Amino acid sequence: MGGVTKIVLAGAYGHGRSHLENLRGLAARGLVELAGVCDVRPVEADRLHGLGTPEQARPDGLAELIERTGAEITILCTPINTHADLAVTALRAGSHLLLEKPPAASLADFERIAAAVGESGLACQVGFQSLGSAAIPALRKRIASGELGEIRGIGVAGAWERPAEYFTRSTWSGRRRLDGQDMADGALTNPFAHAIATALAVAGAEEHGAIDSVELELFHANPIESDDTSAARIRLVNGQVITVAVTLCSTGRTEPYLIVHGSAGTARLTYTTDDLDGTVHPRANLLENLVAHIRTGEELLVPPARTRAFMEFLEAVRLAPDPLPIAEEHQRVHADRRELPGIKELTDLSAERLALFSELDVAWAATRELRVAGTPVASYVWRPDLPVTDAPRPYLHPVRTLTGTEVTEFRPADHVHHLGVSLAVADVGAVNFWGGRTFVRDQGPTWLGDHGRQRHDVFTELEDGFREALTWLGPDGTAVAREERTVLARPAGEAWALDFAFTLVVREPLEIRSSACKGRPGAGYGGFFWRAPRDSANLAVFTGEAEGEQDVHGSRSPWLALVSDAWSLVFVQAGPVDPWFVRVSEYPGVGPALAWDRPLAVADTLTRRVVTVVADGRLDRAAAAKLAGAAP
């Protein structure tokens, strides 16, 4: 085939302007002709200056436009949620495709496009311009040569400023979903999609199955649905790690970059300028490459297979819980934009340390919200800033009823190591994971310097909560145990239920002990523990068989209710039933006791699950029993 290649451009506004500019340059060289333009509104003549008078049509007339004009290539630069349908339409109409990034709004849509490419035998070039840069193979060559030594990971940083109007420029801007369709318009998946795709290319991890897991921290400062400030950790099956920290809430624009960290040195690639450690490399024009591929068989630079791993990352973002809002107290709110003070430095630090925002002591990044039917009901703080004597551990606070009444207390004066809702144990293999002083037989509560901490390792997202892997570390940093924790929030009639389950895994047998095991009568505390607000009116506690602190403390009922005039908590042990540790008169606190009055030997694993129904108002025994029966 020879001569000028006829092109149809679908989407002439927004980013479509850059394609028009590229077409002008290639048309001037006699390589292409813009034969048709497809958009929801007519394209003015001045926008098409230098490109003749191409025929115009609406998106639903794309197939006919391709047929009438004889276009060999369709450039698809329309809203992300339209990519799959229009790409399949163009391919079935006999047109090769230049598909703007991200290629689709979901992995399923991407697979539809890939299948249509295979069935048609036509070419599809995905518009990740940075993947046409010679800097990427140059950097991969340096990595393969051993020049950088053993690779520890790749850190990516990007900090841009975007005005408020950026998020209102179209109906789909700043949206994760629109009219029931996925949009995928977030900082990670759209403006900084090149960052992820470039890092995956440098790591040689672009195709199916290259990614082992994705850990996400999605936030927004602007009043939008999608993320404008986010971090991610991508673990590859080959053991390498990629971290990404990006924002659209910086001051001004700096060029995004990635750093490859090796044992013998580092390499820095500014992918927007193709600058690799001071040397600027050439970049191929993806449309020109596609034309050459069609005309002469030149290798296609960015076929769909090169973007499959990126789409698996996008799918993780799509399925993740909605981004968390960043409180205005952490922002500078200008008339035309939102700014996060120090965010550029944080993205740089992330790339340097291969760390997530939450690992950099950022106050707004260490908390995640649990929601029920869109209503925030609990904040989970998973990287707490606490003194070592509190036995630092993730906790839930505040926890609220559906109407917003708080039902937890955090670091109260009477017991500062009480942290809302947490998993706290007085003695695990002689390490204090409860906080405060350690009870010593014949001596009493004593400061021993034996406090451990629970370290968050990774989240796995679930539909109504999360699964979390943690490591329990002793005072010297040695792993005492590992834990898999599941925290869910779900409706429960006119209330809601917190489902908290954990499995503790030990490397070698050990004992769990409470203070009661060491001679302190009644002090069998240790395990799942809920500290309720002390100033609640008319506190009372009961089970199905008993009432009052004295009678329910130490009992083995499958459920227990702690109630006040404003709220009620119904605790249900789903599985093995441990004795209840209960306080009401001294302070309101409840939890099943793992080691009530004798040590609990753990040979390999220990599993427990507690479901807590959180209700507004005061429940009587019959209402509590009904909720308890439905809870598990």
Side-chain angles (χ1 to χ4, degrees):
M1 300 171 63
V4 177
T5 302
K6 292 185 176 183
I7 307 287
V8 161
L9 172 63
Y13 292 91
H15 187 59
R17 289 176 294 182
S18 65
H19 286 288
L20 288 170
E21 191 61 36
N22 186 38
L23 285 164
R24 269 187 276 272
L26 296 180
R29 292 167 52 195
L31 292 177
V32 303
E33 172 194 343
L34 182 59
V37 178
C38 182
D39 210 300
V40 293
R41 51 180 166 153
V43 182
E44 302 92 342
D46 61 346
R47 188 176 290 268
L48 300 173
H49 175 72
L51 292 169
T53 55
E55 186 176 343
Q56 297 198 33
R58 291 181 59 83
D60 56 8
L62 176 60
E64 292 77 10
L65 181 63
I66 293 170
E67 183 178 350
R68 289 196 303 271
T69 60
E72 294 179 66
I73 295 175
T74 297
I75 301 174
L76 191 53
C77 187
T78 55
I80 304 165
N81 65 314
T82 67
H83 282 192
D85 287 344
L86 292 177
V88 172
T89 295
L91 290 162
R92 289 178 178 171
S95 174
H96 300 280
L97 193 62
L98 175 58
L99 177 62
E100 190 51 70
K101 61 79 191 165
S106 70
L107 187 57
D109 279 350
F110 175 80
E111 298 291 10
R112 284 179 56 207
I113 297 171
V117 171
E119 291 166 5
S120 68
L122 297 168
C124 176
Q125 179 97 286
V126 181
F128 282 110
Q129 297 99 320
S130 62
L131 300 190
S133 174
I136 292 177
L139 179 50
R140 291 186 62 172
K141 184 177 180 180
R142 288 176 61 184
I143 293 171
S145 72
E147 174 187 335
L148 302 178
E150 183 179 352
I151 303 304
R152 294 195 299 111
I154 299 173
V156 182
W160 289 346
E161 175 185 295
R162 287 290 185 266
E165 63 183 20
Y166 173 84
F167 302 103
T168 59
R169 68 192 188 280
S170 66
T171 57
W172 54 269
S173 301
R175 301 294 297 270
R176 281 165 66 82
R177 289 166 291 274
L178 181 63
D179 297 331
Q181 291 187 306
D182 293 309
M183 293 304 305
D185 182 44
L188 284 171
T189 53
N190 195 3
F192 288 106
H194 283 96
I196 287 90
T198 303
L200 289 169
V202 169
E206 298 173 285
E207 299 192 359
H208 172 64
I211 294 177
D212 180 56
S213 65
V214 176
E215 187 174 0
L216 295 164
E217 296 181 358
L218 306 177
F219 302 95
H220 60 84
N222 288 275
I224 59 176
E225 186 180 80
S226 60
D227 61 303
D228 59 34
T229 301
S230 290
R233 175 176 285 117
I234 304 170
R235 298 184 187 276
L236 306 177
V237 293
N238 64 7
Q240 286 192 28
V241 171
I242 298 171
T243 60
V244 183
V246 297
T247 185
L248 300 175
C249 302
S250 187
T251 302
R253 172 187 167 121
T254 53
E255 297 303 323
Y257 63 91
L258 63 83
I259 302 176
V260 179
H261 295 271
S263 59
T266 62
R268 176 170 172 144
L269 170 60
T270 306
Y271 65 84
T272 51
T273 61
D274 309 305
D275 185 323
L276 176 58
D277 287 336
T279 299
V280 177
H281 292 258
R283 176 185 292 195
N285 183 304
L286 295 186
L287 178 55
E288 187 174 356
N289 170 250
L290 177 56
V291 171
H293 174 75
I294 296 168
R295 294 282 177 258
T296 67
E298 182 176 309
E299 182 179 1
L300 198 63
L301 285 171
V302 195
R306 282 197 71 184
T307 66
R308 173 60 191 259
F310 168 82
M311 284 304 306
E312 291 175 358
F313 171 82
L314 181 147
E315 186 74 355
V317 176
R318 183 182 76 85
L319 296 175
D322 287 343
L324 298 174
I326 299 174
E328 289 196 357
E329 65 191 74
H330 301 297
Q331 306 182 34
R332 292 196 185 112
V333 182
H334 304 278
D336 62 339
R337 64 185 178 87
R338 301 288 182 110
E339 176 190 352
L340 293 173
I343 191 63
K344 167 63 170 62
E345 292 72 22
L346 280 172
T347 63
D348 290 337
L349 195 59
S350 168
E352 177 186 335
R353 296 184 181 177
L354 299 175
L356 301 176
F357 287 140
S358 63
E359 298 165 338
L360 298 174
D361 297 326
V362 183
W364 46 261
T367 303
R368 59 187 301 155
E369 292 291 321
L370 290 174
R371 297 173 182 267
V372 173
T375 300
V377 292
S379 296
Y380 187 72
V381 180
W382 47 284
R383 289 196 188 278
D385 182 16
L386 295 169
V388 67
T389 51
D390 282 1
R393 58 195 182 274
Y395 60 86
L396 289 142
H397 177 79
V399 179
R400 315 169 191 86
T401 66
L402 290 178
T403 64
T405 301
E406 288 192 13
V407 292
T408 51
E409 196 162 42
F410 175 71
R411 301 197 83 237
D414 54 78
H415 292 82
V416 294
H417 49 279
H418 288 184
L419 310 176
V421 181
S422 70
L423 180 55
V425 185
D427 185 328
V428 180
V431 178
N432 181 341
F433 288 100
W434 176 269
R437 293 175 293 176
T438 299
F439 188 85
V440 178
R441 188 180 296 275
D442 301 326
Q443 186 173 330
T446 305
W447 293 109
L448 295 180
D450 59 345
H451 296 92
R453 64 185 180 93
Q454 296 171 16
R455 183 191 70 198
H456 163 84
D457 292 330
V458 67
F459 280 124
T460 301
E461 305 302 334
L462 302 173
E463 183 177 355
D464 48 1
F466 55 84
R467 182 174 295 114
E468 182 184 19
L470 305 101
T471 302
W472 293 39
L473 301 172
D476 60 356
T478 301
V480 176
R482 301 195 184 278
E483 181 198 347
E484 184 174 279
R485 177 178 302 181
T486 302
V487 181
L488 309 173
R490 61 175 188 264
E494 296 182 357
W496 71 276
L498 175 71
D499 191 335
F500 190 109
F502 67 92
T503 296
L504 208 60
V505 181
V506 299
R507 290 184 175 179
E508 54 187 37
L510 54 73
E511 286 188 339
I512 288 176
R513 296 183 294 172
S514 66
S515 296
C517 299
K518 305 174 186 180
R520 185 180 181 184
Y525 53 81
F528 173 88
F529 183 73
W530 192 301
R531 173 63 191 253
R534 183 169 186 168
D535 60 358
S536 302
N538 297 316
L539 287 164
V541 63
F542 55 83
T543 66
E545 304 80 25
E547 186 166 353
E549 179 179 353
Q550 182 174 351
D551 289 338
V552 301
H553 181 64
S555 67
R556 287 182 178 269
S557 173
W559 66 269
L560 176 148
L562 178 67
V563 302
S564 75
D565 288 347
W567 52 261
S568 297
L569 303 172
V570 182
F571 302 91
V572 183
Q573 297 190 56
V577 176
D578 297 311
W580 291 104
F581 174 83
V582 179
R583 290 286 186 267
V584 177
S585 57
E586 181 183 356
Y587 62 83
V590 170
L594 294 174
W596 177 247
D597 56 6
R598 64 189 64 184
L600 173 65
V602 181
D604 44 25
T605 63
L606 172 69
T607 297
R608 292 291 190 272
R609 177 175 168 231
V610 180
V611 179
T612 308
V613 181
V614 182
D616 281 293
R618 189 181 195 90
L619 297 176
D620 59 21
R621 178 176 276 110
K626 183 177 180 180
L627 287 173

